[in-house]
């Protein structure tokens, strides 16, 4: 076991994983000032989100793709988005809207990860066998997936800033209005994807149970 420790430590010190630790730290700092300085929060939060693309690039560039890194990446994404949705649920009414979005996001991704494990696949993004063209497009095209994910985060940040009147006078400016419209469109697609993902993953779990029952003597 002692001989394996240096190898284990090396995985933790992979460049993309170090970027992942930085994302966690940035989010901790961001949420610590989310009520006292929402502009700083927005900058730190969005910078942490952008680092998501950096760690993925580093993993492929330096051939340091790891299961731990993938899990760290997804957990960081889900927890940070969940925290932001909780904050928005305290600002806007009815709060159930944002809490429902939180539940959908967590449930769909958790089911997708578990169904991937049951199917014996190495990545939750392997959906080539899905019957939904939109689902396949989402995970098969990084630009499209990136647009949808960025749209969600940008929309939530704009909603947070609007609530503090920091963008009240800017909402009439066409560039920001266009950004809001583009964000809403991408956000809508992402929610549809989450529903498809949850249903598809649930079907995999059910089929697994049925097949297991048929194998019983």
């Amino acid at each position: 076991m002692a001989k394996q420790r240096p190898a284990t430590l090396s995985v933790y010190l992979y460049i993309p994983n170090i970027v992942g630790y930085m994302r966690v730290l940035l989010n901790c700092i961001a949420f610590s000032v989310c009520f006292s300085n929402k502009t700083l929060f927005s900058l730190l939060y969005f910078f942490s989100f952008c680092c998501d693309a950096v760690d993925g690039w580093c993993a492929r560039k330096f051939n340091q793709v790891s299961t731990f890194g993938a899990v760290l990446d997804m957990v960081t994404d889900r927890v940070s988005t969940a925290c932001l949705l909780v904050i928005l649920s305290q600002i806007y009414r009815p709060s159930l809207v944002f809490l429902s979005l939180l539940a959908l996001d967590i449930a769909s991704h958790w089911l997708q990860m578990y169904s991937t494990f049951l199917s014996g696949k190495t990545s939750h993004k392997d959906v080539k066998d899905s019957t939904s063209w939109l689902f396949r497009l989402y995970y098969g095209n990084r630009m499209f997936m990136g647009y949808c994910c960025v749209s969600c985060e940008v929309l939530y940040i704009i909603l947070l800033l609007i609530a503090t009147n920091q963008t009240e006078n800017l909402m009439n400016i066409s560039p920001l209005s266009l950004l809001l419209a583009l964000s809403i469109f991408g956000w809508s697609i992402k929610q549809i994807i989450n529903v498809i993902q949850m249903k598809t993953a649930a079907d995999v779990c059910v089929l697994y149970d049925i097949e297991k029952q048929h194998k019983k003597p």
Side-chain angles (χ1 to χ4, degrees):
M1 292 297 293
K3 293 181 179 179
Q4 295 179 356
R5 292 185 65 181
T8 302
L9 181 62
S10 67
V11 174
Y12 286 122
L13 296 179
Y14 277 179
I15 294 175
N17 293 343
I18 292 175
V19 175
Y21 307 146
M22 291 174 57
R23 291 187 63 205
V24 173
L25 179 60
L26 284 170
N27 277 324
C28 288
I29 297 173
F31 283 105
S32 70
V33 300
C34 63
F35 291 108
S36 59
N37 193 332
K38 291 184 172 60
T39 300
L40 178 60
F41 163 80
S42 300
L43 292 173
L44 291 174
Y45 181 90
F46 191 70
F47 181 67
S48 171
F49 174 76
C50 291
C51 287
D52 186 18
V54 175
D55 63 21
W57 180 86
C58 288
R60 294 185 294 272
K61 175 69 175 180
F62 301 105
N63 193 27
Q64 293 184 337
V65 177
S66 65
T67 301
F68 170 74
V71 173
L72 174 65
D73 185 55
M74 174 174 282
V75 170
T76 303
D77 288 340
R78 302 282 66 77
V79 172
S80 57
T81 301
C83 289
L84 181 52
L85 285 170
V86 168
I87 291 172
L88 290 174
S89 73
Q90 299 303 303
I91 297 174
Y92 291 94
R93 293 293 182 271
S95 58
L96 183 61
V97 172
F98 294 99
L99 295 178
S100 297
L101 291 172
L102 188 161
L104 175 61
D105 187 56
I106 295 295
S108 65
H109 283 85
W110 191 89
L111 276 169
Q112 179 66 8
M113 288 293 288
Y114 196 78
S115 66
T116 299
F117 168 74
L118 292 179
S119 302
K121 297 178 180 178
T122 57
S123 173
H124 69 283
K125 297 179 181 179
D126 183 2
V127 295
K128 300 183 186 69
D129 55 350
S130 173
T131 57
S132 171
W133 65 269
L134 185 60
F135 196 36
R136 294 195 305 271
L137 175 64
Y138 178 78
Y139 277 120
N141 189 307
R142 284 186 185 144
M143 292 294 292
F144 181 62
M145 182 171 66
Y147 162 67
C148 293
C149 293
V150 170
S151 295
C152 281
E153 304 303 330
V154 169
L155 177 61
Y156 296 150
I157 290 173
I158 290 176
L159 289 175
L160 181 67
L161 294 176
I162 290 175
T164 59
N165 296 323
Q166 294 186 37
T167 59
E168 186 179 41
N169 297 326
L170 297 177
M171 289 309 295
N172 293 325
I173 300 178
S174 57
L176 186 59
S177 299
L178 178 61
L179 177 62
L180 185 61
L182 290 173
S183 297
I184 292 175
F185 181 71
W187 170 86
S188 300
I189 296 176
K190 183 68 167 63
Q191 304 319 306
I192 294 173
I193 292 294
N194 279 342
V195 172
I196 295 174
Q197 178 170 255
M198 186 167 61
K199 176 60 168 62
T200 302
D203 287 343
V204 171
C205 294
V206 170
L207 289 174
Y208 177 82
D209 285 334
I210 293 174
E211 291 176 3
K212 188 168 64 173
Q213 289 177 357
H214 287 168
K215 289 180 181 178
K216 289 182 179 180

